[in-house]
């Protein structure tokens, strides 16, 4: 229980919203505000799931995802991409980079925890 979720998000308002939505459901949150910090933290802390903003300073979320997928330690952690642009091609790009799912901003405060719950459930079925 108390799965560890890493949130990589540079927008303070979105970070606060995601924090509120997930913390009230009992998850332990780790936070990073740029791509490099997110990459380092993901490797060091090995979270159970990652919420990845796509537009990030220093390294964008898709590049972070590609790098995580190339490392055995993080090749299978569920990653949810979040982006401000609801364009069709962006979803494909996120999935091509190795993300498991995609959400567009503004964050749907009901759909996000549902998706997180589903992905964690799927993950535990694979592990056990
Ligand atoms: Mn951003």
């Amino acid at each position: 229980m108390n799965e560890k979720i890493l949130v990589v998000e540079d927008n303070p308002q979105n970070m606060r919203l995601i924090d509120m939505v997930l913390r009230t459901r009992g998850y332990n949150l780790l936070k990073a505000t740029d791509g490099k910090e997110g990459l380092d933290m993901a490797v060091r802390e090995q979270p159970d799931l990652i919420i990845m903003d796509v537009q990030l300073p220093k390294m964008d979320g898709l590049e972070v995802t590609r790098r995580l997928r190339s490392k055995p330690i993080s090749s299978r952690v569920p990653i949810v991409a979040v982006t401000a642009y609801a364009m069709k091609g962006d979803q494909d790009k996120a999935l091509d980079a190795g993300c498991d799912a995609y959400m567009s901003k503004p964050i749907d405060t009901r759909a996000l925890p549902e998706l997180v719950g589903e992905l964690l459930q799927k993950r535990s079925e694979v592990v056990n």
Side-chain angles (χ1 to χ4, degrees), residues 8 20 25 51-52 54 59-60 100 108 110 117 119 123:
V8 191
M20 186 191 74
R25 283 167 173 81
I51 309 278
M52 184 76 74
V54 172
M59 187 187 297
D60 75 56
D100 298 274
D108 183 327
R110 187 172 295 191
L119 289 170
R123 181 175 178 277

Side-chain angles (χ1 to χ4, degrees), residues 38-69:
L39 179 62
D40 290 346
M41 226 181 245
V43 170
R44 195 173 62 231
E45 304 284 343
Q46 296 178 54
D48 297 294
L49 183 142
I50 302 172
I51 309 278
M52 184 76 74
D53 182 28
V54 172
Q55 284 80 33
L56 288 168
K58 295 189 185 171
M59 187 187 297
D60 75 56
L62 300 184
E63 181 59 24
V64 177
T65 298
R66 280 189 285 267
R67 293 195 188 195
L68 288 174
R69 289 302 183 234

Side-chain angles (χ1 to χ4, degrees), residues 8-11 14 33 53-57 82-84 105:
V8 191
E9 169 63 87
D10 64 315
N11 178 296
N14 273 309
T33 56
D53 182 28
V54 172
Q55 284 80 33
L56 288 168
V82 178
T83 177
K105 293 180 188 175

Side-chain angles (χ1 to χ4, degrees), residues 112-127:
L112 179 67
E114 274 176 19
L115 179 59
V116 165
E118 276 169 30
L119 289 170
L120 287 173
Q121 176 70 30
K122 228 188 273 178
R123 181 175 178 277
S124 69
E125 283 165 11
V126 171
V127 173

